Amino acid sequence: MFMGGWRAADIPDLTERRAIVTGANSGIGYHTALELARHGAAVVLACRSAERGGAALERIRAELPDADVTLAALDLADLASVRDFAAGHGARPLDVLVNNAGVMAIPRRATADGFEMQFGTNHLGHFALTGLLLPALLAAPAARVVTVTSALAWAGRMNFDDLNGERRYRRWQAYGQSKLANLLFAKELDRRIAGLTSLAAHPGYAATNLQTAGPRMAGDRLGERIMTMANRLVAQSDAAGALPSLYAATAPDARGGACYGPRGFQQRGLPTRVRTPPAAGDRETARRLWEASERLTGVTYETPAT
């Protein structure tokens, strides 16, 4: 499926729509929130860092003085924070939820609840958040959930015997697993919940702080320099990387269960519907992941009686 020349200027009017973007303080998330606000949506910047989130809020307000943009605390690596956020932002209908925040290829760390950080933040935190916000999403007339994955999901596999990397941890394998989990979740959510459109998107190779965070945390100065240079020479901009998320969130012809990414070898360029790894379409794997996610987070998806 080829999207031609779709750009942020093609986003339809979003007046009276409400959106939440996780990880909106920088990179893909920032530009996603900025463009949603530019086109009239009331946007909540859901950020872990109050300082960085506040700086992003001021940047958006400087560019869009009349925009309806607010900042709220959300740490996806802490389920108590996820519950607090949902309790504070789940009372009104929610038209768009962009599950964008994440970490990439970091040394092994644990979340506040004891999960491996990449799986816990990238997948479990967003699984819990979406489930807790489900009543608000279903209260909107045509709500969408966009979950941001990665082309590296092609290298991922679900290790149900060691989801949290306790027996063996390799940071890139853990990242691939978390991004495959994002795809499995997005597709399964679209199948399970009537009245809700769930899609996936990925930015290709876009220059953000994700590439350098892992080497920095590991004390790998050479690796950090290499990633910094690659971002400058090879990657597309973070604004360009946000386009697939924006397409999935707003384009009238975006389809539930599909994934959108850059059209140039899934690395750079304007958005198009992209192929996903065969594992992402395996319904039995999706079922097992869903059940494991409910057990680990304590969040079940409650839908209105019909």
Side-chain angles (χ1 to χ4, degrees):
M1 182 177 179
F2 185 67
M3 299 303 168
W6 193 92
R7 292 172 171 80
D10 298 309
I11 295 172
D13 180 31
L14 301 176
T15 302
E16 298 185 358
R17 304 285 183 89
R18 191 166 77 99
I20 292 172
V21 181
T22 69
N25 57 279
S26 66
I28 307 304
Y30 172 81
H31 286 282
T32 301
L34 174 68
E35 294 302 331
L36 293 175
R38 190 190 307 280
H39 289 82
V43 182
V44 178
L45 313 181
C47 303
R48 181 177 61 83
S49 167
E51 180 181 359
R52 292 193 292 272
L57 179 63
E58 292 307 312
R59 286 174 62 197
I60 293 177
R61 286 178 172 170
E63 185 167 345
L64 306 172
D66 297 325
D68 184 353
V69 185
T70 56
L71 174 65
L74 172 63
D75 184 354
L76 289 159
D78 184 345
L79 291 178
S81 174
V82 174
R83 291 182 181 277
D84 287 345
F85 178 91
H89 295 85
R92 296 167 49 204
L94 177 62
D95 300 277
V96 177
L97 172 62
V98 183
N99 290 324
N100 165 82
V103 292
M104 183 173 76
I106 61 173
R108 195 183 190 285
R109 300 284 190 276
T111 69
D113 304 281
F115 308 129
E116 186 275 313
M117 184 66 73
Q118 297 190 80
F119 184 65
T121 301
N122 299 352
H123 170 63
L124 291 177
H126 282 126
F127 178 92
L129 177 67
T130 306
L132 293 168
L133 290 175
L134 187 60
L137 289 160
L138 293 177
R144 296 189 188 188
V145 176
V146 179
T147 301
V148 179
T149 181
S150 165
L152 289 175
W154 282 83
R157 72 179 186 90
M158 300 307 306
N159 185 355
F160 288 105
D161 293 328
D162 192 22
L163 285 173
N164 285 300
E166 295 170 314
R167 300 176 189 170
R168 185 182 187 187
Y169 180 76
R170 291 186 176 180
R171 57 181 186 161
W172 284 108
Q173 288 180 352
Y175 181 69
Q177 174 181 252
S178 74
K179 294 288 104 179
L180 176 58
N182 289 151
L183 278 173
L184 287 161
F185 167 62
K187 291 175 180 291
E188 184 72 356
L189 179 65
D190 193 68
R191 288 191 290 263
R192 285 184 180 236
I193 308 299
L196 178 70
T197 300
S198 171
L199 316 89
H202 79 76
Y205 185 5
T208 72
N209 59 12
L210 283 182
Q211 290 91 350
T212 56
R216 187 180 305 116
M217 290 176 67
D220 181 1
R221 294 184 178 180
L222 177 59
E224 184 178 354
R225 290 172 184 166
I226 291 172
M227 294 308 298
T228 298
M229 187 63 65
N231 279 358
R232 291 175 181 171
L233 297 178
V234 181
Q236 64 178 352
S237 69
D238 48 6
L243 289 177
S245 295
L246 289 163
Y247 187 94
T250 69
D253 56 351
R255 295 290 177 260
C259 182
Y260 297 89
R263 66 190 186 191
F265 300 100
Q266 295 203 36
Q267 293 301 303
R268 58 190 302 126
L270 297 178
T272 187
R273 183 169 178 172
V274 296
R275 292 177 59 237
T276 56
D282 188 286
R283 295 195 177 197
E284 174 61 17
T285 301
R287 181 196 63 78
R288 291 184 67 188
L289 176 63
W290 191 281
E291 292 177 357
S293 301
E294 287 186 330
R295 183 179 68 255
L296 291 169
T297 64
V299 174
T300 56
Y301 281 53
E302 299 181 3
T303 57
T306 58

